[in-house]
Amino acid sequence: MKLKISILFFLIFFSVDLMAQQNDIMPQSTHYEAPTDPLVKKKLDTWQDKKFGMIIHWGLYAVPGIIESWSICSEDWIERDSTISYDDYKKWYWHFSKQFNPTKFNPEQWARAGKIAGMKYLVFTTKHHDGFAMFDTKQSDFSIAKGPFANNPKADVAKYVFDAFRKEGFMIGAYFSKPDWHSQYYWWQKYATADRNNNYDIRKYPWRWNKFKDFTYNQIGELMHNYGSVDILWLDGGWVRPLESVNAEVLSWGANIPKWSQNIDMPKIADMARKAQPGLIMVDRTVHGAYENYQTPEQKIPEKQLDYPWESCMTLGGAWGFVPNDNYKPASEVINKLVEIVAKGGSLLLGVGPKPDGTFPEEVTKKLEDIGKWTSVNGKAIYNTRTTKNYNSGQTWFTQAKDGQKLFAIYCLGSNEKSPLKISWDGNIPKKGTDIVLVSTGKKIKWDETKGKVSLEIPKELNTQSALAFEFIPQN
């Protein structure tokens, strides 16, 4: 018991720091290949209307409240208690499958909180790298539906998560890890597990890798056939890829470069998945090409506007999953990030982690409510918008209505900054004789223009908003 407590304390202490170091594990692809399937293009356009989503990391790691999966991987950046053998640590971690019993599992609470925040799509972690399935897979006994939660009516967790969010009008995304560190077809016990990659030579044991390909195909097949309508298949673990696609991004991983091709036959998976889910958006993260329908820069915002579909996946706190006493971002910071991301052509996928009992931490719910206070009255400047060429002027970001008839200017206040009495921006001049309207209230704002600079007079009562959104008809 003392051994477990010491490890637990150590990992909780380091989890946020580990997450910070993990940010660059998945470098963004350097180019984009647009889909050609008309159904995929249509769904991608619908997804680009949504702008704001929720990604939920929930699995074994929630029980001790540590970083998701990565603590069982043996790489230089991962710290563990040096008095504990690596094999003993993995046994300790795997044993949480016998303890994970979320008797208060409440996906309806999650979905309501997301809707209140103004979120429009979901990405739920059906399986992370540790291989623990959050759905009732028939391919393995290593799942939430086979442990102490097995007799609960909601043991097939993914089904109830997807159903709850569908009822609130969300697009549905299934996160799935291509690597599976629990599978003997990926991490074979015959060998040590040196890093995130599979630990045997696939060229020497092709039959074993073929078993893993079948296992992966079948699990994804279960998700595509047994869980209702799915809009997005969000595949993580970009190092599992054909060797010929190992490029500059992968080389930046240094010692963790794959030694051989870990090709899981994405064309076969995609064909099966899209027959079951026509128009399915596929996100094979960082593996540029036909199966990365939008890009996913992690924990960062691109420096410039991008002209293809993308999302920034970022955490509300310091970790993707639940960590006790996490440090959550202020609602104003999330709102300002959302505004910048949308102006640059992307969407924000905000990460939260439920507690091991299956409920959201109170502070998460409160933060989402605070975010929703802004999106509920300013959403017109965010949802169903597209980019405009002149997208930024100082603290002001610009979007345009999808039909191109109106522009939106969103002034983001700095930390602890009160709304100024005057706001100015360069360019994006309103049409002469038309009004600039405050989106949140519909009230007209006094404005003038001199030599390409637009100036607005701001009412004093607006100093409680973290960002001010305005709409206007642009000058032709």
Side-chain angles (χ1 to χ4, degrees):
M1 181 62 69
K2 289 181 179 178
L3 176 69
K4 293 182 180 179
I5 291 173
S6 67
I7 297 173
L8 178 57
F9 175 80
F10 186 87
L11 284 169
I12 290 174
F13 182 79
F14 277 97
S15 60
V16 175
D17 182 60
L18 287 173
M19 189 60 237
Q21 295 178 58
Q22 190 189 331
N23 292 348
D24 291 326
I25 277 176
M26 302 291 293
Q28 185 182 348
S29 299
T30 54
H31 64 277
Y32 175 75
E33 183 178 326
T36 57
D37 183 333
L39 293 178
V40 177
K41 291 166 71 173
K42 182 179 179 181
K43 183 156 287 192
L44 196 56
D45 183 66
T46 299
W47 171 79
Q48 286 186 286
D49 291 341
K50 305 303 181 184
K51 304 301 184 189
F52 191 20
M54 175 189 289
I55 182 168
I56 298 175
H57 278 75
W58 195 44
L60 287 187
Y61 39 87
V63 180
I66 61 176
I67 186 174
E68 71 294 335
S69 297
W70 284 99
S71 69
I72 60 170
C73 186
S74 185
E75 296 185 8
D76 290 344
W77 63 276
I78 297 168
E79 295 290 343
R80 283 180 294 270
D81 188 332
S82 62
T83 66
I84 311 305
S85 76
Y86 180 38
D87 283 344
D88 284 344
Y89 180 80
K90 285 191 291 185
K91 289 175 185 176
W92 174 80
Y93 183 91
W94 299 133
H95 190 68
F96 286 117
S97 63
K98 309 297 183 186
Q99 302 175 39
F100 193 14
N101 190 21
T103 54
K104 295 182 180 179
F105 172 49
N106 190 350
E108 292 78 18
Q109 178 211 25
W110 307 355
R112 283 195 302 272
K115 185 173 184 179
I116 288 169
M119 294 163 160
K120 305 291 185 181
Y121 69 103
L122 166 77
V123 176
F124 176 66
T125 304
T126 64
K127 188 182 76 170
H128 205 260
H129 311 327
D130 62 13
F132 188 75
M134 297 300 291
F135 64 103
D136 190 9
T137 178
K138 301 301 185 288
Q139 306 304 309
S140 166
D141 287 337
F142 196 56
S143 80
I144 187 68
K146 300 299 193 298
F149 199 54
N151 294 323
N152 191 287
K154 296 182 178 179
D156 195 354
V157 161
K159 176 185 186 303
Y160 292 93
V161 172
F162 292 157
D163 285 350
F165 278 84
R166 277 195 205 97
K167 287 176 183 175
E168 297 292 358
F170 282 62
M171 291 184 77
I172 301 300
Y175 170 116
F176 184 88
S177 169
K178 294 183 294 181
D180 186 315
W181 295 336
H182 189 264
S183 171
Q184 286 292 306
Y185 301 132
Y186 195 82
W187 273 4
W188 188 7
Q189 65 185 6
K190 178 178 179 179
Y191 298 110
T193 49
D195 57 24
R196 72 192 69 176
N197 294 287
N198 81 296
N199 68 335
Y200 60 91
D201 190 336
I202 291 171
R203 299 164 298 185
K204 187 176 178 181
Y205 300 103
W207 61 270
R208 181 165 286 271
W209 186 251
N210 285 334
K211 288 283 190 181
F212 182 68
K213 287 165 65 176
D214 290 343
F215 171 76
T216 303
Y217 178 91
N218 290 337
Q219 281 199 324
I220 293 175
E222 289 173 328
L223 292 169
M224 295 297 100
H225 289 90
N226 302 339
Y227 291 86
S229 177
V230 177
D231 302 293
I232 305 163
L233 178 58
W234 209 88
L235 298 172
D236 205 1
W239 57 93
V240 176
R241 63 169 78 198
L243 197 59
E244 58 268 23
S245 71
V246 174
N247 50 23
E249 294 94 349
V250 183
L251 293 176
S252 71
W253 297 345
N256 303 312
I257 298 171
K259 297 179 178 65
W260 40 72
S261 179
Q262 296 184 52
N263 188 345
I264 58 169
D265 199 346
M266 281 300 301
K268 181 180 178 182
I269 290 172
D271 183 61
M272 173 272 293
R274 284 183 171 148
K275 281 180 179 176
Q277 303 286 344
L280 179 73
I281 298 170
M282 297 195 68
V283 185
D284 192 8
R285 297 190 66 210
T286 76
V287 186
H288 61 272
Y291 309 112
E292 191 182 28
N293 298 150
Y294 65 74
Q295 291 189 0
T296 55
E298 184 171 336
Q299 296 284 37
K300 61 185 178 183
I301 302 173
E303 291 183 7
K304 298 179 180 179
Q305 190 179 78
L306 302 177
D307 61 359
Y308 50 77
W310 61 275
E311 74 182 1
S312 280
C313 43
M314 312 182 86
T315 52
L316 177 61
W320 290 106
F322 168 73
V323 173
N325 305 311
D326 203 352
N327 183 26
Y328 297 103
K329 296 176 178 66
S332 58
E333 182 180 341
V334 176
I335 291 164
N336 287 357
K337 289 181 184 298
L338 173 64
V339 170
E340 179 181 352
I341 287 166
V342 172
K344 289 180 175 178
S347 298
L348 171 60
L349 185 62
L350 192 65
V352 295
K355 295 185 294 184
D357 68 0
T359 62
F360 273 173
E362 253 183 68
E363 195 170 356
V364 167
T365 304
K366 180 63 170 62
K367 293 288 184 185
L368 295 179
E369 287 177 358
D370 291 343
I371 293 166
K373 290 174 184 176
W374 188 87
T375 58
S376 63
V377 294
N378 291 286
K380 188 176 182 181
I382 297 294
Y383 310 118
N384 303 300
T385 62
R386 292 298 184 266
T387 59
T388 185
K389 183 178 179 180
N390 299 316
Y391 65 93
N392 179 231
S393 176
Q395 291 176 243
T396 305
W397 301 89
F398 300 92
T399 63
Q400 68 172 322
K402 197 172 180 180
D403 62 9
Q405 296 302 303
K406 287 189 176 182
L407 283 183
F408 300 97
I410 311 172
Y411 179 87
C412 291
L413 278 66
S415 179
N416 299 318
E417 177 189 359
K418 290 187 176 182
S419 176
L421 296 179
K422 180 169 279 192
I423 290 174
S424 298
W425 67 70
D426 294 316
N428 288 330
I429 301 168
K431 186 175 181 180
K432 189 174 181 179
T434 60
D435 297 317
I436 292 181
V437 175
L438 186 67
V439 173
S440 61
T441 64
K443 291 184 177 179
K444 297 176 183 178
I445 300 294
K446 291 182 180 180
W447 68 277
D448 61 64
E449 179 264 325
T450 304
K451 295 182 179 179
K453 182 181 285 292
V454 179
S455 297
L456 284 66
E457 294 182 20
I458 308 301
K460 291 180 181 180
E461 65 268 19
L462 298 180
N463 63 8
T464 58
Q465 291 203 33
S466 56
L468 303 174
F470 309 91
E471 66 175 296
F472 58 93
I473 298 171
Q475 177 178 285
N476 293 331

